[in-house]
Each structure stands twice: as structure tokens, then as C-alpha cells.
Amino acid sequence: MSLPAETVQLLQRISTATITTVLLKKGLRNVWMRGTRPLRPGQKRLVGPAFTLRFVPAREDLATPESWSKPISTRTAIEAMPEGCIAVVDAMGVTDAGIFGDILCMRMAKRGVTALVTDGVMRDVEGVLGTGLPVWCDGAAAPPSVAGLTFVNWGEPIGCGGVAVFPDDIIVADEDGAVVIPQAFLPLILEQGEEQERVEAWIVNEVQQGASLPGLYPMNADTKARYEAWKKTQK
């Protein structure tokens, strides 16, 4: 699934913090992937449909360097990634084996992959940064993936950072980490996300002007009326 350009542009204006707030109001509490931090500070907010990959614990007869040449391998999975996707990798939170290094990340960048998100770690970090592929992960480790993980498949439901991610769910990643928007909730985020950002920006300005929090955050009826009056002046 590809996302329309206008959808991507709108989501790039909505923070992951706002997305989690909007989804929380609809009962979705577990959408932020633990251990997904930007590898390079200052990475801009990115958006894309999820392309999922899954590792399981290492098993000595399967997790070998020879496995990298098999039909089911990370190499083959990368060749199946469509342009504009965000690769989401279930590494089970393993932090002592790097799932990808510079060569694999360079190939992903050449294929037009938007970003890589994982609850695992990277290796060859200097080289990975040099590829220009934006990465959200849980750090770095020198050993290769087969030292602690077995790659098993792509394009299926996974658990990344304790969150269920299905293929083509929408991923938004920024300085606070990566969140998943289930496809059924995308219209809700598109409808309410920018308004939530607008409300919070107005509240921040009120606090900067010396306003106290009770009745402001969250808003009481009088504050909502003041906000609505202000909003009319912005049209």
C-alpha cells in the first residue's frame, strides 16, 4: 500500500505524542514501540506504510552465515521492500546482535525505503549513518544478527517493541520514537490530529503568558469558548 502525498504531508505535521493522545481517547493505549530511538539526533518526522520483518531466537542449525544466501533471508526481504515503505523489524528487543549493517542499509536506501524501525540494534553504525537511511533502534552492537537471532519471514504480523504491527499499518517516527496507526484509525488521525496540535500550541502560548493550568489543561467550558473565539480570528 502506498500513501497519497497529501496524507504523508499532513501526518508529517502531527507529532507522535499527539497521535498517541488521539488514539488513547479511542481506547488504544499500546501504539508506541519501546526501544525505538532515532539513531541520528534531529532526524525529521517520517511517515510510511509498514513493511514487516520478523526474527526469532537464534537456533544453531539455522542462524549461520550461510543462511544469508537462502531464499528466506534479510537480503531477499529487502529486495521485496516497496519504495516509500518503513521497514519495521521485530528483533524481540535483543541488544547484543545487530540486525542490519551498512551494506543492507545502503541497499534499502537505494530502493527508496523511507526508514527502518526496530526494537533491536544496528551494527556498523558509522557506515549506517553514512547511507542516509533514517533509523530508529535501541542502540548498537558489533556482532551480526546470527549471533543472537534467526530471521524467519517478512510481510506478516509482528510484535515490535511490545506493539502489534500489521503489514501496511501506518508508521510515524520522530524524536519521541515510532508509533503505529492501525489502518482503520487513519481517518481519525487525519481528522483530529491537526486540531489537537492547534489546541496544544494555543495552550502553550497561554502558559507562556502566565496562565495557570487548572481549567486550561484540560480546558473547562470558559477556556474552550476563549479558544474557539481565538480560532475564528485565525481564518
Side-chain angles (χ1 to χ4, degrees):
M1 182 187 76
S2 60
L3 291 175
E6 57 270 24
T7 297
V8 172
Q9 291 167 5
L10 196 157
L11 289 174
Q12 285 175 337
R13 298 196 295 268
I14 304 173
S15 70
T16 56
T18 290
I19 291 169
T20 60
T21 298
V22 173
L23 292 177
L24 178 64
K25 292 176 181 178
K26 293 298 181 179
L28 275 71
R29 298 177 176 273
N30 190 35
V31 296
W32 175 74
M33 289 173 260
R34 299 153 188 83
T36 57
R37 301 189 301 275
L39 187 61
R40 186 195 302 274
Q43 287 178 174
K44 68 177 183 178
R45 184 175 301 122
L46 294 175
V47 178
F51 182 95
T52 59
L53 301 91
R54 184 166 67 93
F55 286 89
V56 297
R59 204 177 80 180
E60 287 75 9
D61 60 326
L62 299 175
T64 65
E66 290 74 22
S67 68
W68 296 332
S69 299
K70 292 184 177 179
I72 296 181
S73 67
T74 53
R75 280 70 172 162
T76 310
I78 288 171
E79 297 305 318
M81 293 178 181
E83 183 178 356
C85 77
I86 290 183
V88 185
V89 185
D90 173 9
M92 305 185 308
V94 170
T95 57
D96 57 1
I99 60 164
F100 291 156
D102 53 356
I103 295 174
L104 272 62
C105 287
M106 175 62 75
R107 181 57 181 158
M108 292 169 67
K110 292 293 185 182
R111 288 191 58 79
V113 173
T114 294
L116 167 64
V117 171
T118 181
D119 57 0
V121 299
M122 306 300 293
R123 63 195 304 246
D124 304 317
V125 168
E126 183 177 356
V128 169
L129 291 171
T131 69
L133 178 73
V135 175
W136 277 258
C137 65
D138 200 18
S145 60
V146 293
L149 295 161
T150 302
F151 181 71
V152 290
N153 213 349
W154 66 90
E156 61 182 24
I158 62 169
C160 183
V163 175
V165 181
F166 287 73
D168 291 332
D169 279 344
I170 312 307
I171 306 300
V172 180
D174 60 18
E175 285 291 295
D176 287 348
V179 300
V180 59
I181 304 172
Q183 288 187 50
F185 288 85
L186 179 57
L188 173 74
I189 298 299
L190 296 177
E191 176 187 349
Q192 297 185 14
E194 276 202 302
E195 174 62 11
Q196 181 71 28
E197 293 278 1
R198 190 179 298 112
V199 166
E200 295 199 4
W202 183 83
I203 290 172
V204 167
N205 184 66
E206 290 289 298
V207 172
Q208 288 177 336
Q209 299 302 315
S212 59
L213 294 178
L216 175 66
Y217 187 63
M219 293 184 186
N220 59 20
D222 290 342
T223 302
K224 287 180 181 178
R226 285 200 301 114
Y227 169 72
E228 292 298 332
W230 169 85
K231 193 164 64 169
K232 290 178 182 178
T233 68
Q234 305 304 301
K235 294 181 179 179

